[in-house]
Amino acid sequence: MHAYANPARFLKIARPLTGLLGLVGGTMLILCVAYGVLFGPADYLQGETVRIMYIHVPAAWLGMAGWSGIAVASAMQLIWRHPLAGVAGRACALPGAVFAAICLATGSIWGRPTWGTWWEWDGRLTSMLVLFFLYLAYMALSRAEREADGETSGEGRMTAIFGLIGAINLPIIHYSVLWWRTLHQGQSISVMKGSSIDASMLWPLLGAAVGASLLFGAIVLMRMRAELADTKLEMRMRRLAAL
Amino acid sequence: MNQWDFVIAAYGVSVPALGWLVLVSFNQMRRAEQAVDEMMRGRK
Protein backbone atom coordinates (compact mmCIF):
# COMPACT_ATOMS: atom_id res chain seq x y z
CA MET A 1 0.00 0.00 0.00
CA HIS A 2 2.90 2.33 0.79
CA ALA A 3 4.11 1.82 -2.79
CA TYR A 4 1.20 4.06 -3.83
CA ALA A 5 1.98 6.73 -1.23
CA ASN A 6 3.69 8.72 -3.95
CA PRO A 7 0.98 10.90 -5.60
CA ALA A 8 2.74 10.69 -9.00
CA ARG A 9 2.73 6.89 -8.89
CA PHE A 10 -0.88 6.91 -7.66
CA LEU A 11 -1.97 9.22 -10.51
CA LYS A 12 -0.27 7.02 -13.10
CA ILE A 13 -2.63 4.20 -12.07
CA ALA A 14 -5.66 6.34 -11.16
CA ARG A 15 -5.92 8.14 -14.52
CA PRO A 16 -6.73 5.10 -16.72
CA LEU A 17 -8.59 3.37 -13.88
CA THR A 18 -11.06 6.26 -13.38
CA GLY A 19 -12.51 6.01 -16.89
CA LEU A 20 -12.47 2.21 -16.89
CA LEU A 21 -14.31 1.89 -13.56
CA GLY A 22 -16.78 4.62 -14.48
CA LEU A 23 -17.58 3.14 -17.87
CA VAL A 24 -17.85 -0.51 -16.79
CA GLY A 25 -19.64 0.35 -13.50
CA GLY A 26 -22.08 2.81 -15.06
CA THR A 27 -22.97 0.42 -17.90
CA MET A 28 -23.40 -2.51 -15.54
CA LEU A 29 -25.55 -0.48 -13.15
CA ILE A 30 -27.84 0.82 -15.92
CA LEU A 31 -28.23 -2.60 -17.58
CA CYS A 32 -28.87 -4.55 -14.36
CA VAL A 33 -31.30 -1.98 -12.94
CA ALA A 34 -33.13 -1.75 -16.28
CA TYR A 35 -33.34 -5.55 -16.49
CA GLY A 36 -34.63 -5.85 -12.92
CA VAL A 37 -37.17 -3.04 -13.28
CA LEU A 38 -38.45 -3.90 -16.76
CA PHE A 39 -38.12 -7.71 -16.94
CA GLY A 40 -37.77 -8.95 -13.36
CA PRO A 41 -40.77 -10.58 -11.70
CA ALA A 42 -43.05 -8.81 -9.22
CA ASP A 43 -42.91 -10.07 -5.62
CA TYR A 44 -45.75 -12.28 -4.35
CA LEU A 45 -46.14 -10.09 -1.27
CA GLN A 46 -44.81 -6.63 -2.19
CA GLY A 47 -45.97 -6.60 -5.80
CA GLU A 48 -44.30 -4.17 -8.22
CA THR A 49 -42.68 -2.06 -5.47
CA VAL A 50 -40.00 -4.73 -5.04
CA ARG A 51 -38.34 -3.18 -8.13
CA ILE A 52 -37.16 -0.32 -5.90
CA MET A 53 -34.77 -2.90 -4.38
CA TYR A 54 -32.37 -2.68 -7.37
CA ILE A 55 -31.30 0.83 -6.34
CA HIS A 56 -32.21 0.82 -2.62
CA VAL A 57 -30.02 -2.17 -1.62
CA PRO A 58 -26.85 -1.13 -3.54
CA ALA A 59 -27.31 2.42 -2.17
CA ALA A 60 -27.53 1.04 1.40
CA TRP A 61 -24.43 -1.12 0.92
CA LEU A 62 -22.44 1.76 -0.57
CA GLY A 63 -23.64 4.21 2.07
CA MET A 64 -22.04 1.86 4.61
CA ALA A 65 -19.05 1.00 2.40
CA GLY A 66 -18.27 4.72 2.06
CA TRP A 67 -17.88 5.06 5.82
CA SER A 68 -15.87 1.82 5.96
CA GLY A 69 -13.52 3.46 3.44
CA ILE A 70 -13.33 6.58 5.62
CA ALA A 71 -12.55 4.45 8.71
CA VAL A 72 -9.79 2.45 6.96
CA ALA A 73 -8.29 5.63 5.45
CA SER A 74 -8.46 7.36 8.86
CA ALA A 75 -6.65 4.45 10.53
CA MET A 76 -3.95 4.50 7.81
CA GLN A 77 -3.60 8.25 8.23
CA LEU A 78 -3.32 8.13 12.03
CA ILE A 79 -1.16 4.98 12.35
CA TRP A 80 1.10 5.00 9.27
CA ARG A 81 0.71 8.66 8.24
CA HIS A 82 0.06 7.48 4.68
CA PRO A 83 0.10 10.73 2.65
CA LEU A 84 -2.87 9.79 0.45
CA ALA A 85 -5.04 8.35 3.25
CA GLY A 86 -6.57 11.69 4.25
CA VAL A 87 -7.30 12.49 0.60
CA ALA A 88 -8.95 9.08 0.15
CA GLY A 89 -11.07 9.46 3.29
CA ARG A 90 -12.33 12.89 2.26
CA ALA A 91 -13.01 11.59 -1.29
CA CYS A 92 -15.33 8.89 0.13
CA ALA A 93 -17.48 11.39 2.05
CA LEU A 94 -19.68 13.00 -0.63
CA PRO A 95 -20.41 9.79 -2.60
CA GLY A 96 -21.13 7.99 0.69
CA ALA A 97 -23.52 10.75 1.75
CA VAL A 98 -25.32 10.73 -1.62
CA PHE A 99 -25.74 6.93 -1.55
CA ALA A 100 -26.98 7.09 2.06
CA ALA A 101 -29.47 9.80 1.04
CA ILE A 102 -30.65 7.68 -1.94
CA CYS A 103 -31.09 4.73 0.41
CA LEU A 104 -33.17 6.83 2.84
CA ALA A 105 -35.29 8.42 0.09
CA THR A 106 -36.00 5.19 -1.81
CA GLY A 107 -36.62 3.34 1.46
CA SER A 108 -39.18 5.95 2.46
CA ILE A 109 -40.89 5.72 -0.95
CA TRP A 110 -40.87 1.90 -0.67
CA GLY A 111 -42.21 2.07 2.89
CA ARG A 112 -45.39 3.98 2.03
CA PRO A 113 -47.10 1.22 -0.04
CA THR A 114 -45.49 -1.64 1.92
CA TRP A 115 -45.78 -0.49 5.54
CA GLY A 116 -48.38 2.27 5.11
CA THR A 117 -45.97 4.95 6.35
CA TRP A 118 -43.21 7.13 4.87
CA TRP A 119 -41.09 6.95 8.01
CA GLU A 120 -40.82 4.93 11.20
CA TRP A 121 -38.25 5.41 13.96
CA ASP A 122 -37.10 1.81 13.80
CA GLY A 123 -33.52 0.68 14.39
CA ARG A 124 -32.44 0.31 10.76
CA LEU A 125 -33.99 3.55 9.51
CA THR A 126 -32.77 5.62 12.45
CA SER A 127 -29.19 4.26 12.34
CA MET A 128 -29.06 4.91 8.58
CA LEU A 129 -30.27 8.48 9.17
CA VAL A 130 -27.53 8.84 11.81
CA LEU A 131 -24.99 7.67 9.18
CA PHE A 132 -26.21 10.37 6.79
CA PHE A 133 -25.79 13.04 9.49
CA LEU A 134 -22.33 11.64 10.32
CA TYR A 135 -21.33 12.19 6.66
CA LEU A 136 -22.53 15.80 6.83
CA ALA A 137 -20.63 16.35 10.09
CA TYR A 138 -17.49 14.71 8.63
CA MET A 139 -17.56 16.98 5.57
CA ALA A 140 -18.15 20.10 7.72
CA LEU A 141 -15.34 19.12 10.13
CA SER A 142 -12.98 18.33 7.27
CA ARG A 143 -13.61 21.70 5.64
CA ALA A 144 -13.32 23.59 8.94
CA GLU A 145 -10.07 21.83 9.87
CA ARG A 146 -8.48 22.44 6.48
CA GLU A 147 -9.43 26.13 6.57
CA ALA A 148 -8.05 26.45 10.10
CA ASP A 149 -4.79 24.67 9.17
CA GLY A 150 -4.52 26.54 5.89
CA GLU A 151 -3.68 23.26 4.18
CA THR A 152 -5.48 21.28 1.56
CA SER A 153 -4.15 17.83 2.37
CA GLY A 154 -1.90 15.82 4.60
CA GLU A 155 -3.22 16.85 8.01
CA GLY A 156 -6.74 16.62 9.37
CA ARG A 157 -6.23 14.53 12.50
CA MET A 158 -9.53 15.55 14.10
CA THR A 159 -11.39 14.54 10.93
CA ALA A 160 -9.58 11.19 10.90
CA ILE A 161 -10.41 10.55 14.58
CA PHE A 162 -14.05 11.43 13.85
CA GLY A 163 -13.96 9.01 10.90
CA LEU A 164 -12.82 6.20 13.20
CA ILE A 165 -15.35 6.99 15.96
CA GLY A 166 -18.20 7.18 13.41
CA ALA A 167 -17.46 3.60 12.35
CA ILE A 168 -19.16 2.48 15.59
CA ASN A 169 -22.44 3.12 13.77
CA LEU A 170 -21.70 0.49 11.07
CA PRO A 171 -22.28 -2.65 13.18
CA ILE A 172 -25.33 -0.91 14.70
CA ILE A 173 -26.82 -0.49 11.19
CA HIS A 174 -25.92 -4.08 10.26
CA TYR A 175 -27.34 -5.75 13.38
CA SER A 176 -30.24 -3.31 13.91
CA VAL A 177 -32.69 -5.67 12.18
CA LEU A 178 -31.71 -8.45 14.62
CA TRP A 179 -31.58 -6.34 17.79
CA TRP A 180 -34.80 -4.37 17.26
CA ARG A 181 -37.41 -6.20 15.18
CA THR A 182 -39.88 -3.55 14.09
CA LEU A 183 -40.87 -2.69 10.52
CA HIS A 184 -37.70 -3.18 8.46
CA GLN A 185 -37.28 -6.72 7.18
CA GLY A 186 -34.39 -8.89 8.30
CA GLN A 187 -31.37 -9.88 6.24
CA SER A 188 -32.24 -11.46 2.87
CA ILE A 189 -28.63 -12.03 1.78
CA SER A 190 -26.01 -13.47 4.12
CA VAL A 191 -22.48 -14.72 3.44
CA MET A 192 -23.04 -17.64 5.84
CA LYS A 193 -26.68 -18.52 5.13
CA GLY A 194 -26.92 -17.63 1.44
CA SER A 195 -29.88 -15.79 -0.03
CA SER A 196 -33.63 -16.03 0.45
CA ILE A 197 -34.19 -14.00 -2.74
CA ASP A 198 -35.14 -15.87 -5.92
CA ALA A 199 -32.35 -16.09 -8.52
CA SER A 200 -34.43 -14.07 -11.04
CA MET A 201 -34.18 -11.09 -8.68
CA LEU A 202 -30.86 -11.91 -7.04
CA TRP A 203 -28.63 -11.77 -10.14
CA PRO A 204 -29.78 -8.33 -11.38
CA LEU A 205 -29.49 -7.11 -7.78
CA LEU A 206 -25.91 -8.39 -7.43
CA GLY A 207 -25.05 -7.00 -10.88
CA ALA A 208 -26.44 -3.59 -9.89
CA ALA A 209 -24.49 -3.73 -6.62
CA VAL A 210 -21.20 -4.55 -8.41
CA GLY A 211 -21.88 -1.84 -11.04
CA ALA A 212 -22.69 0.77 -8.39
CA SER A 213 -19.53 -0.23 -6.45
CA LEU A 214 -17.32 0.26 -9.53
CA LEU A 215 -19.00 3.62 -10.20
CA PHE A 216 -18.40 4.55 -6.54
CA GLY A 217 -14.72 3.68 -7.02
CA ALA A 218 -14.53 5.90 -10.11
CA ILE A 219 -16.13 8.82 -8.24
CA VAL A 220 -13.69 8.42 -5.32
CA LEU A 221 -10.76 8.45 -7.77
CA MET A 222 -12.14 11.59 -9.48
CA ARG A 223 -12.40 13.37 -6.13
CA MET A 224 -8.90 12.26 -5.08
CA ARG A 225 -7.46 13.51 -8.38
CA ALA A 226 -9.27 16.84 -7.93
CA GLU A 227 -7.89 17.32 -4.41
CA LEU A 228 -4.35 16.34 -5.43
CA ALA A 229 -4.47 18.83 -8.33
CA ASP A 230 -5.83 21.58 -6.03
CA THR A 231 -3.04 20.86 -3.54
CA LYS A 232 -0.40 21.11 -6.27
CA LEU A 233 -1.85 24.45 -7.37
CA GLU A 234 -1.98 25.83 -3.85
CA MET A 235 1.61 24.80 -3.13
CA ARG A 236 2.72 26.55 -6.31
CA MET A 237 0.79 29.72 -5.32
CA ARG A 238 2.41 29.69 -1.88
CA ARG A 239 5.84 29.27 -3.38
CA LEU A 240 5.20 32.23 -5.70
CA ALA A 241 3.84 34.33 -2.83
CA ALA A 242 6.94 33.57 -0.75
CA LEU A 243 9.27 34.87 -3.50
CA MET B 1 -52.11 4.76 -5.76
CA ASN B 2 -50.60 2.56 -8.46
CA GLN B 3 -47.54 0.65 -7.21
CA TRP B 4 -45.61 1.68 -10.34
CA ASP B 5 -45.92 5.33 -9.25
CA PHE B 6 -43.73 4.52 -6.24
CA VAL B 7 -41.20 2.69 -8.43
CA ILE B 8 -41.02 5.68 -10.81
CA ALA B 9 -40.72 8.10 -7.87
CA ALA B 10 -37.83 6.07 -6.39
CA TYR B 11 -35.85 6.12 -9.64
CA GLY B 12 -36.93 9.72 -10.26
CA VAL B 13 -35.03 10.65 -7.09
CA SER B 14 -32.06 8.29 -7.53
CA VAL B 15 -31.10 8.93 -11.16
CA PRO B 16 -30.75 12.76 -10.87
CA ALA B 17 -28.89 12.38 -7.55
CA LEU B 18 -26.38 9.94 -9.08
CA GLY B 19 -26.07 12.01 -12.25
CA TRP B 20 -25.38 15.15 -10.17
CA LEU B 21 -22.72 13.30 -8.14
CA VAL B 22 -20.90 12.04 -11.23
CA LEU B 23 -21.06 15.42 -13.00
CA VAL B 24 -19.90 17.45 -9.98
CA SER B 25 -16.99 15.05 -9.29
CA PHE B 26 -15.96 14.93 -12.95
CA ASN B 27 -16.10 18.73 -13.36
CA GLN B 28 -14.09 19.34 -10.18
CA MET B 29 -11.43 16.88 -11.36
CA ARG B 30 -11.29 18.30 -14.90
CA ARG B 31 -11.15 21.93 -13.75
CA ALA B 32 -8.41 21.24 -11.17
CA GLU B 33 -6.27 19.15 -13.55
CA GLN B 34 -6.66 21.71 -16.38
CA ALA B 35 -5.45 24.45 -14.00
CA VAL B 36 -2.40 22.31 -13.10
CA ASP B 37 -1.69 21.64 -16.80
CA GLU B 38 -1.85 25.39 -17.53
CA MET B 39 0.46 26.09 -14.59
CA MET B 40 2.97 23.51 -15.83
CA ARG B 41 2.83 24.97 -19.37
CA GLY B 42 3.41 28.45 -17.90
CA ARG B 43 6.52 27.23 -16.10
CA LYS B 44 8.05 25.86 -19.29
Side-chain angles (χ1 to χ4, degrees):
Chain A
M1 199 51 80
H2 281 276
Y4 304 106
N6 180 339
R9 196 174 296 166
F10 166 78
L11 284 172
K12 206 173 171 184
I13 297 161
R15 280 195 183 115
L17 205 58
T18 310
L20 185 71
L21 289 180
L23 202 68
V24 174
T27 309
M28 227 175 137
L29 179 64
I30 290 168
L31 288 179
C32 291
V33 167
Y35 180 82
V37 170
L38 300 174
F39 306 112
D43 184 63
Y44 77 105
L45 203 59
Q46 300 182 51
E48 307 295 350
T49 57
V50 77
R51 298 174 201 282
I52 296 172
M53 167 179 77
Y54 302 108
I55 191 66
H56 175 75
V57 174
W61 285 345
L62 287 170
M64 292 172 70
W67 200 281
S68 305
I70 287 175
V72 170
S74 300
M76 289 177 73
Q77 182 185 348
L78 292 171
I79 299 167
W80 294 296
R81 296 186 174 275
H82 193 292
L84 288 178
V87 181
R90 287 189 289 276
C92 287
L94 184 67
V98 169
F99 276 102
I102 289 173
C103 168
L104 287 166
T106 55
S108 175
I109 293 167
W110 198 357
R112 185 70 185 90
T114 312
W115 301 334
T117 180
W118 296 103
W119 184 261
E120 179 68 33
W121 292 102
D122 99 336
R124 176 58 67 87
L125 275 68
T126 307
S127 53
M128 201 67 202
L129 183 65
V130 168
L131 177 68
F132 176 68
F133 287 135
L134 283 174
Y135 274 121
L136 298 186
Y138 179 91
M139 287 188 281
L141 181 62
S142 160
R143 175 169 286 216
E145 199 172 20
R146 283 163 65 197
E147 279 172 6
D149 290 350
E151 292 182 13
T152 50
S153 72
E155 292 301 320
R157 285 178 60 83
M158 287 303 291
T159 313
I161 291 167
F162 183 74
L164 274 181
I165 293 170
I168 294 167
N169 192 39
L170 295 177
I172 296 175
I173 297 173
H174 183 74
Y175 290 108
S176 57
V177 287
L178 300 173
W179 293 341
W180 307 289
R181 288 305 303 269
T182 50
L183 274 179
H184 198 284
Q185 68 182 70
Q187 266 185 300
S188 303
I189 301 172
S190 161
V191 177
M192 305 296 280
K193 295 174 188 166
S195 164
S196 59
I197 303 176
D198 187 73
S200 58
M201 295 176 183
L202 182 65
W203 287 112
L205 174 62
L206 291 179
V210 171
S213 304
L214 296 179
L215 187 64
F216 189 96
I219 294 165
V220 169
L221 287 179
M222 284 180 207
R223 304 192 69 76
M224 286 182 76
R225 284 171 59 180
E227 187 174 326
L228 287 173
D230 281 339
T231 305
K232 201 170 182 178
L233 267 177
E234 194 174 310
M235 282 169 70
R236 172 78 179 153
M237 293 298 180
R238 279 188 191 177
R239 232 175 285 145
L240 285 174
L243 289 176
Chain B
M1 247 177 125
N2 186 338
Q3 288 192 329
W4 274 101
D5 293 342
F6 292 98
V7 177
I8 292 163
Y11 287 96
V13 170
S14 309
V15 173
L18 268 182
W20 172 83
L21 176 64
V22 172
L23 273 180
V24 162
S25 303
F26 180 76
N27 279 335
Q28 280 179 353
M29 177 192 75
R30 197 181 55 178
R31 209 173 303 142
E33 289 188 341
Q34 271 178 355
V36 169
D37 287 344
E38 279 168 26
M39 179 187 83
M40 299 303 272
R41 269 199 298 271
R43 267 168 61 172
K44 282 177 188 170

